[in-house]
Amino acid sequence: MNFATRALLELQETTLLAARAFGGVFKRPRYIPETIAQMDAIGVGSLTIIILTGFFTGGVLTVQTFPTLKAYGAQSQTGYLVAVSLVRELGPVLCALMVTGRVGSAISAELGSMVVSQQIDAMRALGTDPIRKLVAPRLFALLVSLPLLTVLADVLGIFGGWVTAVALYSVSSSVFLSAVRDAITTDDLIGGIVKPIVFSLIIGTIACRQGLSTEGGTVGVGRSTTRAVVMASIIVIIADYFLAKALQVILGTQ
Amino acid sequence: MAAEIHTTAPTISENAAESTFQEVDDRDRAIPAIEFRNVVLAFDDRVVLNKLSFKVMKGETKIILGGSGGGKSTIIKLVLGLLKPDEGQVLVDGVDITNYSEQQMMRVRKNIGMVFQEGALFDSLSVYDNVAYRLHEQGVPEDEVEPEVRRMLRFVNLEDAIDKMPIELSGGMRRRVGIARALVGDPKIVLFDEPTAGLDPPTARTICELAMKLRDLEDVSSIFVTHEMNNVQYICSEYAVVDEDGKVIFEREGERLCLTNSKVMMMREGKIIFSGTDEALRRSEDQYIQRFLRGH
């Protein structure tokens, strides 16, 4: 089987997995406790890395852009640049990449271990659909958690930029915050929410698909985990490019 | 010895004639619990099962012997619908399940117990939750779940381990919890996939005793996949009875009783090379079988 056929087959299987997971959301039994547990593991569990990533990304944006803006006499626009960069691009993408590394790998490894230890077969043998029991709660938890984590990363990034601008470059607090207010439009906020929703679908379906298709014992678990993280990261970045353009066209901001 | 091959749908009277039971008590018992008709399965170019046909009658234990990679575990996966055959039919309780969807198979699986090679217990759940899994999924109230879980754990002599996590259990205990989990809901078909592999002889004996109890006291039909000859010896030559004190004891067949509810089927490269009693297996002159029996 050549690369193109394999890629198409993989795309088909991943899409079918997502469709079956969402198809099962509205049927009984509903796995509400599992979904809440996954929201805790994915959302609450990722808070620390998102707080640190968001804060320092905002800070470093100020560090890198303030000297350039100052050279053109536009240092008052530092808040504008930090806010636009974070809300439109860095917040959703960095957040998705951090969650891919932490959550995508964990999902793939957990499901892969369950496959090689025959727990998935046991689940099916006991009359449970593993897609509804394992995949749907993880996908739903990611769909809820990633947009919220992205908003948090955006806010903390702007906070990090503000702290850096005020403390290191003596930018007036009101000037920075006024530029931030001018920068962010409703379209940016819509884009900042749509992107993480799409990214969560990408991360969740790829991680679950790779985990459930694990073959070859414990070595296979390692392989599928690596594949899940690499594939999800690359596809998130590629999808971000097309989403950015699509949102510009849809929202009329091009 | 030739394999049993059925090319046409057999009638009930034909099924009855092939049963290991000499007397068939009613029409329902004459319908095989499990039946394979010319089943073919291949993974890419490798044929795993090649026109396989056999029956497991009600209350019968079919021991499937064979070397690794011979297609033994694949048979169990086909019964559960975890795999689909490329050709042929798989029937459970006389119903053709070959083309059942995953949703339809969920209903079939509720009546079948499955014991996996390593137990396949859910790592994140306690022994109690593992055994209660099927009941929790069905939404059975907790006050009905606990007595059932305790009953099953008593059956496998593991009631003391009810609060333990799978990681705290030995290999033999994990298999026994796996058996308890498989028996919840009193399934009339139980599938054992190499349940004694890697266990010390006394623990392996305990697992075989559980299979015998199911066969002789619960009237369960089962497929027992193994490659260990001592399993065959236990299951084909001993039976479980309840003594005057209500205790389960195991007696050897002899002048008083000859076991007819256990049969051996040997597989090689996806084909049945022997089907019959353990005595006939030992008498077989097939070189592969003799080498398998001798171990060299």
Side-chain angles (χ1 to χ4, degrees), chain B residues 88-123:
Chain B
Q89 291 172 293
V90 179
L91 290 88
V92 173
D93 278 332
V95 178
D96 186 353
I97 60 156
T98 318
N99 297 315
Y100 268 25
S101 67
E102 186 71 7
Q103 287 307 313
Q104 287 173 307
M105 276 315 298
M106 290 294 172
R107 284 196 293 276
V108 176
R109 287 172 195 153
K110 281 176 182 163
N111 301 315
I112 301 175
M114 167 82 195
V115 180
F116 287 86
Q117 201 170 352
E118 304 281 344
L121 301 182
F122 303 122
D123 294 335

Side-chain angles (χ1 to χ4, degrees), chain B residues 3-213:
Chain B
E4 298 170 328
I5 305 290
H6 310 289
T7 49
T8 54
T11 62
I12 285 173
S13 59
E14 282 170 347
N15 289 332
E18 289 192 25
S19 167
T20 49
F21 291 98
Q22 295 306 301
E23 287 184 6
V24 177
D25 47 9
D26 57 36
R27 280 175 69 90
D28 184 53
R29 288 200 71 84
I31 298 170
I34 298 165
E35 184 176 0
F36 276 47
R37 292 180 189 164
N38 296 315
V39 169
V40 177
L41 180 71
F43 296 132
D44 297 324
D45 295 335
R46 197 169 71 90
V47 178
V48 181
L49 299 178
N50 193 355
K51 290 205 172 291
L52 196 76
S53 294
F54 72 90
K55 294 173 187 174
V56 181
M57 302 308 293
K58 300 267 164 67
E60 181 182 72
T61 295
K62 179 83 81 182
I63 300 174
I64 302 182
L65 279 174
S68 300
K72 306 187 302 290
S73 300
T74 309
I75 290 174
I76 282 183
K77 288 186 175 172
L78 283 165
V79 175
L80 281 167
L82 302 179
L83 292 172
K84 293 284 180 196
D86 297 329
E87 287 174 33
Q89 291 172 293
V90 179
L91 290 88
V92 173
D93 278 332
V95 178
D96 186 353
I97 60 156
T98 318
N99 297 315
Y100 268 25
S101 67
E102 186 71 7
Q103 287 307 313
Q104 287 173 307
M105 276 315 298
M106 290 294 172
R107 284 196 293 276
V108 176
R109 287 172 195 153
K110 281 176 182 163
N111 301 315
I112 301 175
M114 167 82 195
V115 180
F116 287 86
Q117 201 170 352
E118 304 281 344
L121 301 182
F122 303 122
D123 294 335
S124 56
L125 303 180
S126 67
V127 167
Y128 175 88
D129 287 327
N130 262 286
V131 178
Y133 184 86
R134 201 193 285 257
L135 300 173
H136 283 154
E137 286 293 300
Q138 289 167 359
V140 175
E142 201 58 41
D143 56 346
E144 291 174 33
V145 171
E146 190 175 345
E148 180 65 5
V149 170
R150 288 193 178 278
R151 183 172 77 89
M152 286 308 155
L153 286 172
R154 260 197 305 278
F155 184 80
V156 296
N157 286 325
L158 271 179
E159 203 179 352
D160 294 343
I162 193 164
D163 293 322
K164 288 190 172 168
M165 294 301 284
I167 192 83
E168 298 173 76
L169 305 176
S170 67
M173 288 164 88
R174 291 172 72 95
R175 315 281 168 101
R176 279 149 68 195
V177 173
I179 292 174
R181 184 178 67 179
L183 299 183
V184 169
D186 297 321
K188 283 294 168 194
I189 298 172
V190 178
L191 310 170
F192 295 89
D193 186 7
E194 300 195 29
T196 61
L199 294 181
D200 58 275
T203 312
R205 161 86 197 180
T206 309
I207 303 288
C208 291
E209 284 179 354
L210 289 171
M212 287 187 268
K213 273 164 73 178

